[in-house]
């Protein structure tokens, strides 16, 4: 008999309780067979103490880090995409099409979708949108996905996450045609990304954007030590796979990692994607390291117009005098994610039309 933790039950456990269970589980290995895939435990991160003061400048110098401007790099990529879409339209009278499905009235999801639709318009990609109320039946969303699968004018399908709790996210995402999975989440795309010598049809947008930032900033990846903080299917895991594709030596830090600061301090490249504000402090970073901060976290700020400001996973003020290059939040990885979505949609249309 194998001990298991249900995915739906596990998040209600505290991090300490889960660790205690795991210790007790290992001590009973003589009577309980260990699952070959291990226990499916959720990553529950402990936010850093808000009272810990900023560290003094560890090198005694003014900040010298290069700020990697995701806005300008994304604008450059969008311009390249617009040129290709225009060339396609002139040559074969066709343009790429992106379909977006959104369920519910979450303000953040609606903002993300509006930004994606606007970006499509700017580069000449046609866009379609299917909106559903929060209490819609799962089958309605599945039918919408199937309809877009069959629509030859649609080359990419995006299901805006998160979905309402009563819907099976995995079932809906797996309904998306492999050839239109511009988010890159289909198991076959992820599997081909993980295997040497294989090529996925699509690379997940945020990880692809992280690597583009490094490449277009002239930062060497091959042979470097890289640390990815976070192991989600959306960002952490595919980012670690992509870095390995570029021949970096990769370590992954997760919520159960011991001495994460010590491991991070060895890295030439640090990518943080856990969604915990200021988790990575200046003393986690090796002098001269490159930091890609994927986190976008609202932090209460009474002086701000909206009552909060956005910050990353990395304590920016502490990192600046230590590292050689860093992405800001906002204005770093965020605009690259949308640019990569447009890029994936263009590539899908090129395959469909056999256009090169």
């Amino acid at each position: 008999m194998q001990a298991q933790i249900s995915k739906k039950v596990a998040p209600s456990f505290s991090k300490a309780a889960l660790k205690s269970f795991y210790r007790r589980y290992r001590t009973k290995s003589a009577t309980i067979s260990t699952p070959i895939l291990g226990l499916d435990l959720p990553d529950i991160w402990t936010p850093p103490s808000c009272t810990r003061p900023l560290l003094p400048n560890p090198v005694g110098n003014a900040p010298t880090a290069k700020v990697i401007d995701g806005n300008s790099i994304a604008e450059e990529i969008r311009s390249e995409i617009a040129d290709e879409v225009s060339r396609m339209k002139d040559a074969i009278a066709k343009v790429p099409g992106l379909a977006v499905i959104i369920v519910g009235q979450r303000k953040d999801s609606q903002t993300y979708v509006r930004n994606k639709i606007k970006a499509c318009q700017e580069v000449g990609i046609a866009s379609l949108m299917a909106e559903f109320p929060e209490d819609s039946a799962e089958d309605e969303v599945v039918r919408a996905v199937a309809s877009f699968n069959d629509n030859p004018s649609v080359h990419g399908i995006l299901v805006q996450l998160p979905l309402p709790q009563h819907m099976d996210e995995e079932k809906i995402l797996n309904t998306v045609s492999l050839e239109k999975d511009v988010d890159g989440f289909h198991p076959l795309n992820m599997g081909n990304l993980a295997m040497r010598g294989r090529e996925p049809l699509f690379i997940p947008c945020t990880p692809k954007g992280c690597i583009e930032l490094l490449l277009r900033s002239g930062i060497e990846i091959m042979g470097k030590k890289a640390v990815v903080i976070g192991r989600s299917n959306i960002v952490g895991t595919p980012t670690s796979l992509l870095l390995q594709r570029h021949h970096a030596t990769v370590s992954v830090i997760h919520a159960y990692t011991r001495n994460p600061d010590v491991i991070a301090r060895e890295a030439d490249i640090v990518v943080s994607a856990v969604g915990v504000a200021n988790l990575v402090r200046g003393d986690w970073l090796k002098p001269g390291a490159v930091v890609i901060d994927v986190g976008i976290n609202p932090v209460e700020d009474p002086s701000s117009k909206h009552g909060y400001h956005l910050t990353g996973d990395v304590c920016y003020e502490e990192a600046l005098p230590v590292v050689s290059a860093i992405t800001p939040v906002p204005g770093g990885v965020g605009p690259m994610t949308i640019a990569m979505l447009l890029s994936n949609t263009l590539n899908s249309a090129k395959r469909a039309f056999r256009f090169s």
Side-chain angles (χ1 to χ4, degrees):
M1 175 179 156
Q2 293 184 349
Q4 294 181 344
I5 295 181
S6 164
K7 289 183 181 180
K8 293 185 178 180
V9 174
S12 65
F13 285 81
S14 69
K15 184 176 178 180
L18 285 167
K19 282 187 173 181
S20 174
F21 176 89
Y22 201 31
R23 282 196 297 270
R24 286 186 284 109
Y25 178 88
R26 284 183 296 184
T27 61
K28 294 182 179 180
S29 59
T31 56
I32 303 177
S33 61
T34 303
I36 195 67
L37 293 177
L39 292 174
D40 186 11
L41 302 179
D43 277 352
I44 301 175
W45 292 86
T46 303
S49 171
C50 296
T51 59
R52 178 180 168 187
L54 288 176
L55 295 171
N57 188 329
V59 294
N61 298 319
T64 57
K66 171 187 176 182
V67 177
I68 301 174
D69 187 349
N71 282 320
S72 64
I73 295 175
E75 185 177 347
E76 177 184 320
I77 293 170
R78 288 198 305 270
S79 177
E80 294 168 3
I81 292 169
D83 289 344
E84 281 296 281
V85 172
S86 179
R87 188 171 70 86
M88 177 184 290
K89 186 175 182 180
D90 291 342
I92 61 174
K94 301 284 187 181
V95 297
L98 175 68
V100 181
I101 295 172
I102 180 170
V103 185
Q105 300 295 318
R106 281 180 61 113
K107 285 187 167 47
D108 55 348
S109 291
Q110 290 177 327
T111 299
Y112 296 147
V113 167
R114 278 198 305 270
N115 290 340
K116 290 164 185 174
I117 298 297
K118 181 182 177 183
C120 285
Q121 293 170 345
E122 289 174 351
V123 301
I125 291 176
S127 59
L128 297 85
M129 185 161 64
E131 298 181 82
F132 294 92
E134 181 85 16
D135 58 355
S136 297
E138 183 179 284
D139 287 347
E140 292 182 76
V141 179
V142 169
R143 283 196 295 271
V145 172
S147 175
F148 288 137
N149 282 340
D150 295 335
N151 187 337
S153 68
V154 171
H155 307 99
I157 301 172
L158 170 70
V159 179
Q160 183 65 43
L161 303 178
L163 291 168
Q165 288 188 349
H166 69 278
M167 292 188 178
D168 185 337
E169 186 174 288
E170 183 177 352
K171 175 184 175 182
I172 291 172
L173 291 179
N174 285 345
T175 304
V176 176
S177 165
L178 177 64
E179 291 77 16
K180 299 185 180 185
D181 173 40
V182 287
D183 258 338
F185 296 155
H186 193 286
L188 281 176
N189 276 321
M190 291 289 282
N192 283 329
L193 178 61
M195 298 177 70
R196 293 188 64 188
R198 302 284 185 89
E199 288 192 18
L201 288 177
F202 303 101
I203 298 169
C205 299
T206 298
K208 186 177 179 182
C210 292
I211 300 302
E212 279 281 1
L213 285 173
L214 293 172
L215 296 176
R216 290 184 182 240
S217 300
I219 294 164
E220 186 178 359
I221 304 176
M222 183 182 290
K224 299 295 185 179
K225 289 184 179 179
V227 160
V228 177
I229 305 175
R231 54 179 175 177
S232 71
N233 291 336
I234 296 173
V235 183
T237 295
T239 299
S240 66
L241 295 172
L242 269 176
L243 286 165
Q244 289 183 71
R245 287 270 190 152
H246 285 270
H247 312 292
T249 300
V250 183
S251 299
V252 176
I253 291 174
H254 49 78
Y256 303 93
T257 300
R258 296 177 182 177
N259 303 317
D261 55 329
V262 175
I263 298 170
R265 211 156 32 236
E266 297 178 349
D268 304 301
I269 299 170
V270 175
V271 180
S272 185
V274 295
V276 177
N278 297 319
L279 173 73
V280 180
R281 305 299 297 261
D283 55 2
W284 283 43
L285 302 169
K286 173 182 175 180
V290 174
V291 174
I292 304 294
D293 191 349
V294 184
I296 303 179
N297 311 293
V299 174
E300 188 176 345
D301 181 0
S303 66
S304 170
K305 175 183 175 182
H306 301 289
Y308 67 92
H309 68 269
L310 296 177
T311 188
D313 292 346
V314 179
C315 189
Y316 191 73
E317 294 83 359
E318 291 182 356
L320 278 176
V322 180
V323 303
S324 62
I326 187 171
T327 57
V329 176
V333 175
M336 291 296 293
T337 298
I338 293 180
M340 295 301 100
L341 174 65
L342 302 178
S343 173
N344 282 353
T345 303
L346 172 62
N347 291 338
S348 179
K350 283 184 170 183
R351 274 195 293 267
F353 295 136
R354 294 180 173 83
F355 181 81
S356 59

